[in-house]
mmCIF file of all heavy atoms in Angstrom:
data_model
loop_
_atom_site.group_PDB
_atom_site.id
_atom_site.type_symbol
_atom_site.label_atom_id
_atom_site.label_comp_id
_atom_site.label_asym_id
_atom_site.label_seq_id
_atom_site.Cartn_x
_atom_site.Cartn_y
_atom_site.Cartn_z
ATOM 1 N N ALA B 29 143.654 101.865 82.903
ATOM 2 C CA ALA B 29 143.074 100.824 82.059
ATOM 3 C C ALA B 29 143.481 101.010 80.597
ATOM 4 O O ALA B 29 143.760 100.059 79.884
ATOM 5 C CB ALA B 29 141.555 100.835 82.199
ATOM 6 N N TRP B 30 143.539 102.280 80.142
ATOM 7 C CA TRP B 30 143.855 102.503 78.732
ATOM 8 C C TRP B 30 145.287 102.158 78.377
ATOM 9 O O TRP B 30 145.630 102.022 77.211
ATOM 10 C CB TRP B 30 143.550 103.948 78.352
ATOM 11 C CG TRP B 30 144.266 104.971 79.180
ATOM 12 C CD1 TRP B 30 143.783 105.639 80.248
ATOM 13 C CD2 TRP B 30 145.613 105.438 79.025
ATOM 14 N NE1 TRP B 30 144.713 106.490 80.771
ATOM 15 C CE2 TRP B 30 145.844 106.389 80.041
ATOM 16 C CE3 TRP B 30 146.624 105.154 78.120
ATOM 17 C CZ2 TRP B 30 147.061 107.047 80.174
ATOM 18 C CZ3 TRP B 30 147.841 105.808 78.266
ATOM 19 C CH2 TRP B 30 148.037 106.743 79.278
ATOM 20 N N ALA B 31 146.124 102.010 79.399
ATOM 21 C CA ALA B 31 147.533 101.721 79.123
ATOM 22 C C ALA B 31 147.782 100.235 78.891
ATOM 23 O O ALA B 31 148.859 99.849 78.480
ATOM 24 C CB ALA B 31 148.400 102.218 80.263
ATOM 25 N N GLN B 32 146.761 99.404 79.157
ATOM 26 C CA GLN B 32 146.945 97.975 79.024
ATOM 27 C C GLN B 32 146.839 97.559 77.558
ATOM 28 O O GLN B 32 146.021 98.079 76.810
ATOM 29 C CB GLN B 32 145.878 97.232 79.845
ATOM 30 C CG GLN B 32 145.912 97.556 81.331
ATOM 31 C CD GLN B 32 147.272 97.274 81.939
ATOM 32 O OE1 GLN B 32 147.799 96.185 81.803
ATOM 33 N NE2 GLN B 32 147.851 98.264 82.593
ATOM 34 N N PRO B 33 147.686 96.632 77.113
ATOM 35 C CA PRO B 33 147.593 96.175 75.727
ATOM 36 C C PRO B 33 146.304 95.402 75.488
ATOM 37 O O PRO B 33 145.720 94.827 76.412
ATOM 38 C CB PRO B 33 148.824 95.272 75.578
ATOM 39 C CG PRO B 33 149.149 94.835 76.970
ATOM 40 C CD PRO B 33 148.757 95.971 77.862
ATOM 41 N N THR B 34 145.853 95.402 74.248
ATOM 42 C CA THR B 34 144.685 94.629 73.850
ATOM 43 C C THR B 34 145.146 93.268 73.365
ATOM 44 O O THR B 34 146.076 93.176 72.557
ATOM 45 C CB THR B 34 143.925 95.362 72.724
ATOM 46 O OG1 THR B 34 143.375 96.560 73.267
ATOM 47 C CG2 THR B 34 142.801 94.499 72.165
ATOM 48 N N GLU B 35 144.512 92.204 73.845
ATOM 49 C CA GLU B 35 144.903 90.856 73.456
ATOM 50 C C GLU B 35 143.793 90.192 72.665
ATOM 51 O O GLU B 35 142.629 90.248 73.031
ATOM 52 C CB GLU B 35 145.256 90.019 74.689
ATOM 53 C CG GLU B 35 146.555 90.443 75.352
ATOM 54 C CD GLU B 35 147.255 89.294 76.074
ATOM 55 O OE1 GLU B 35 146.768 88.159 75.987
ATOM 56 O OE2 GLU B 35 148.283 89.560 76.704
ATOM 57 N N LEU B 36 144.179 89.564 71.555
ATOM 58 C CA LEU B 36 143.255 88.809 70.716
ATOM 59 C C LEU B 36 143.885 87.465 70.403
ATOM 60 O O LEU B 36 144.917 87.407 69.719
ATOM 61 C CB LEU B 36 142.980 89.554 69.407
ATOM 62 C CG LEU B 36 142.070 90.777 69.452
ATOM 63 C CD1 LEU B 36 142.093 91.471 68.095
ATOM 64 C CD2 LEU B 36 140.656 90.389 69.811
ATOM 65 N N PHE B 37 143.309 86.404 70.947
ATOM 66 C CA PHE B 37 143.788 85.053 70.673
ATOM 67 C C PHE B 37 145.286 84.928 70.913
ATOM 68 O O PHE B 37 146.031 84.348 70.110
ATOM 69 C CB PHE B 37 143.429 84.645 69.242
ATOM 70 C CG PHE B 37 141.959 84.754 68.959
ATOM 71 C CD1 PHE B 37 141.470 85.816 68.211
ATOM 72 C CD2 PHE B 37 141.064 83.824 69.469
ATOM 73 C CE1 PHE B 37 140.113 85.937 67.961
ATOM 74 C CE2 PHE B 37 139.708 83.940 69.222
ATOM 75 C CZ PHE B 37 139.228 84.994 68.468
ATOM 76 N N GLY B 38 145.732 85.541 72.011
ATOM 77 C CA GLY B 38 147.132 85.456 72.405
ATOM 78 C C GLY B 38 148.034 86.483 71.751
ATOM 79 O O GLY B 38 149.230 86.532 72.052
ATOM 80 N N ILE B 39 147.491 87.313 70.866
ATOM 81 C CA ILE B 39 148.268 88.371 70.212
ATOM 82 C C ILE B 39 148.053 89.668 70.972
ATOM 83 O O ILE B 39 146.911 90.083 71.195
ATOM 84 C CB ILE B 39 147.854 88.559 68.739
ATOM 85 C CG1 ILE B 39 147.939 87.229 67.986
ATOM 86 C CG2 ILE B 39 148.697 89.636 68.083
ATOM 87 C CD1 ILE B 39 149.309 86.616 67.972
ATOM 88 N N SER B 40 149.137 90.310 71.375
ATOM 89 C CA SER B 40 149.050 91.533 72.173
ATOM 90 C C SER B 40 149.307 92.751 71.294
ATOM 91 O O SER B 40 150.335 92.836 70.614
ATOM 92 C CB SER B 40 150.083 91.487 73.313
ATOM 93 O OG SER B 40 150.016 92.657 74.094
ATOM 94 N N TYR B 41 148.353 93.671 71.299
ATOM 95 C CA TYR B 41 148.496 94.928 70.574
ATOM 96 C C TYR B 41 148.655 96.068 71.578
ATOM 97 O O TYR B 41 147.777 96.281 72.412
ATOM 98 C CB TYR B 41 147.271 95.199 69.700
ATOM 99 C CG TYR B 41 147.210 94.372 68.443
ATOM 100 C CD1 TYR B 41 146.312 93.311 68.316
ATOM 101 C CD2 TYR B 41 148.050 94.647 67.376
ATOM 102 C CE1 TYR B 41 146.254 92.563 67.152
ATOM 103 C CE2 TYR B 41 148.006 93.895 66.206
ATOM 104 C CZ TYR B 41 147.095 92.852 66.103
ATOM 105 O OH TYR B 41 147.057 92.114 64.948
ATOM 106 N N PRO B 42 149.769 96.806 71.512
ATOM 107 C CA PRO B 42 149.949 97.929 72.438
ATOM 108 C C PRO B 42 148.936 99.033 72.146
ATOM 109 O O PRO B 42 148.428 99.146 71.027
ATOM 110 C CB PRO B 42 151.379 98.401 72.155
ATOM 111 C CG PRO B 42 151.631 97.990 70.742
ATOM 112 C CD PRO B 42 150.881 96.696 70.552
ATOM 113 N N GLN B 43 148.660 99.848 73.152
ATOM 114 C CA GLN B 43 147.706 100.940 72.972
ATOM 115 C C GLN B 43 148.265 102.041 72.079
ATOM 116 O O GLN B 43 147.507 102.777 71.461
ATOM 117 C CB GLN B 43 147.309 101.517 74.325
ATOM 118 C CG GLN B 43 146.395 100.604 75.133
ATOM 119 C CD GLN B 43 145.058 100.380 74.463
ATOM 120 O OE1 GLN B 43 144.429 101.314 73.997
ATOM 121 N NE2 GLN B 43 144.616 99.129 74.417
ATOM 122 N N THR B 44 149.585 102.162 72.012
ATOM 123 C CA THR B 44 150.211 103.166 71.142
ATOM 124 C C THR B 44 151.428 102.560 70.450
ATOM 125 O O THR B 44 152.024 101.593 70.945
ATOM 126 C CB THR B 44 150.656 104.423 71.924
ATOM 127 O OG1 THR B 44 151.644 104.044 72.896
ATOM 128 C CG2 THR B 44 149.480 105.087 72.622
ATOM 129 N N LEU B 45 151.760 103.109 69.313
ATOM 130 C CA LEU B 45 153.019 102.792 68.627
ATOM 131 C C LEU B 45 153.411 104.013 67.796
ATOM 132 O O LEU B 45 152.634 104.953 67.653
ATOM 133 C CB LEU B 45 152.919 101.530 67.776
ATOM 134 C CG LEU B 45 151.813 101.382 66.731
ATOM 135 C CD1 LEU B 45 152.033 102.268 65.519
ATOM 136 C CD2 LEU B 45 151.727 99.935 66.283
ATOM 137 N N LYS B 46 154.613 103.993 67.251
ATOM 138 C CA LYS B 46 155.096 105.144 66.497
ATOM 139 C C LYS B 46 155.329 104.796 65.031
ATOM 140 O O LYS B 46 155.880 103.737 64.716
ATOM 141 C CB LYS B 46 156.384 105.701 67.121
ATOM 142 C CG LYS B 46 156.136 106.443 68.422
ATOM 143 C CD LYS B 46 157.362 107.233 68.868
ATOM 144 C CE LYS B 46 157.054 108.065 70.103
ATOM 145 N NZ LYS B 46 158.197 108.913 70.509
ATOM 146 N N VAL B 47 154.890 105.696 64.170
ATOM 147 C CA VAL B 47 155.179 105.620 62.742
ATOM 148 C C VAL B 47 155.775 106.955 62.339
ATOM 149 O O VAL B 47 155.183 108.009 62.576
ATOM 150 C CB VAL B 47 153.905 105.324 61.929
ATOM 151 C CG1 VAL B 47 154.179 105.485 60.435
ATOM 152 C CG2 VAL B 47 153.387 103.912 62.226
ATOM 153 N N GLU B 48 156.973 106.907 61.768
ATOM 154 C CA GLU B 48 157.670 108.130 61.363
ATOM 155 C C GLU B 48 157.801 109.129 62.519
ATOM 156 O O GLU B 48 157.661 110.333 62.347
ATOM 157 C CB GLU B 48 156.949 108.785 60.187
ATOM 158 C CG GLU B 48 156.992 107.967 58.912
ATOM 159 C CD GLU B 48 158.397 107.896 58.314
ATOM 160 O OE1 GLU B 48 158.912 108.948 57.916
ATOM 161 O OE2 GLU B 48 158.953 106.795 58.244
ATOM 162 N N GLY B 49 158.021 108.600 63.736
ATOM 163 C CA GLY B 49 158.217 109.454 64.901
ATOM 164 C C GLY B 49 156.947 109.992 65.526
ATOM 165 O O GLY B 49 157.004 110.681 66.548
ATOM 166 N N ARG B 50 155.795 109.676 64.952
ATOM 167 C CA ARG B 50 154.528 110.179 65.492
ATOM 168 C C ARG B 50 153.795 109.067 66.229
ATOM 169 O O ARG B 50 153.711 107.935 65.742
ATOM 170 C CB ARG B 50 153.643 110.736 64.377
ATOM 171 C CG ARG B 50 152.338 111.308 64.906
ATOM 172 C CD ARG B 50 151.675 112.209 63.904
ATOM 173 N NE ARG B 50 150.403 112.714 64.405
ATOM 174 C CZ ARG B 50 149.583 113.484 63.715
ATOM 175 N NH1 ARG B 50 149.903 113.852 62.475
ATOM 176 N NH2 ARG B 50 148.444 113.906 64.231
ATOM 177 N N THR B 51 153.265 109.380 67.391
ATOM 178 C CA THR B 51 152.552 108.393 68.195
ATOM 179 C C THR B 51 151.153 108.173 67.648
ATOM 180 O O THR B 51 150.383 109.120 67.474
ATOM 181 C CB THR B 51 152.466 108.838 69.664
ATOM 182 O OG1 THR B 51 153.792 108.977 70.183
ATOM 183 C CG2 THR B 51 151.710 107.812 70.499
ATOM 184 N N LEU B 52 150.827 106.920 67.371
ATOM 185 C CA LEU B 52 149.495 106.538 66.920
ATOM 186 C C LEU B 52 148.792 105.760 68.028
ATOM 187 O O LEU B 52 149.434 105.081 68.830
ATOM 188 C CB LEU B 52 149.571 105.675 65.665
ATOM 189 C CG LEU B 52 150.307 106.267 64.459
ATOM 190 C CD1 LEU B 52 150.187 105.331 63.263
ATOM 191 C CD2 LEU B 52 149.773 107.648 64.112
ATOM 192 N N GLN B 53 147.473 105.845 68.047
ATOM 193 C CA GLN B 53 146.673 105.180 69.069
ATOM 194 C C GLN B 53 145.897 104.014 68.470
ATOM 195 O O GLN B 53 145.479 104.066 67.312
ATOM 196 C CB GLN B 53 145.681 106.178 69.681
ATOM 197 C CG GLN B 53 146.340 107.401 70.285
ATOM 198 C CD GLN B 53 145.309 108.365 70.819
ATOM 199 O OE1 GLN B 53 144.575 108.060 71.759
ATOM 200 N NE2 GLN B 53 145.239 109.548 70.222
ATOM 201 N N LEU B 54 145.724 102.991 69.272
ATOM 202 C CA LEU B 54 144.934 101.837 68.844
ATOM 203 C C LEU B 54 143.472 102.249 68.719
ATOM 204 O O LEU B 54 142.836 102.626 69.697
ATOM 205 C CB LEU B 54 145.086 100.693 69.849
ATOM 206 C CG LEU B 54 144.281 99.425 69.560
ATOM 207 C CD1 LEU B 54 144.730 98.787 68.248
ATOM 208 C CD2 LEU B 54 144.428 98.433 70.711
ATOM 209 N N ASN B 55 142.950 102.189 67.496
ATOM 210 C CA ASN B 55 141.565 102.592 67.251
ATOM 211 C C ASN B 55 140.607 101.422 67.419
ATOM 212 O O ASN B 55 139.446 101.587 67.795
ATOM 213 C CB ASN B 55 141.432 103.170 65.844
ATOM 214 C CG ASN B 55 140.197 104.028 65.679
ATOM 215 O OD1 ASN B 55 140.172 105.179 66.086
ATOM 216 N ND2 ASN B 55 139.150 103.464 65.092
#
């Protein structure tokens, strides 16, 4: 379940992304 993207009004936010090579989590 945690691997699924979050959707808001048709906008999909991934659960993780990278900034400067470091993995960040959707808070």
Side-chain angles (χ1 to χ4, degrees):
W30 57 263
Q32 300 303 307
T34 293
E35 289 208 4
L36 286 172
F37 304 104
I39 306 300
S40 180
Y41 284 106
Q43 288 296 314
T44 62
L45 53 72
K46 287 192 175 184
V47 170
E48 294 291 296
R50 182 163 178 183
T51 299
L52 303 185
Q53 303 178 65
L54 178 63
N55 200 79

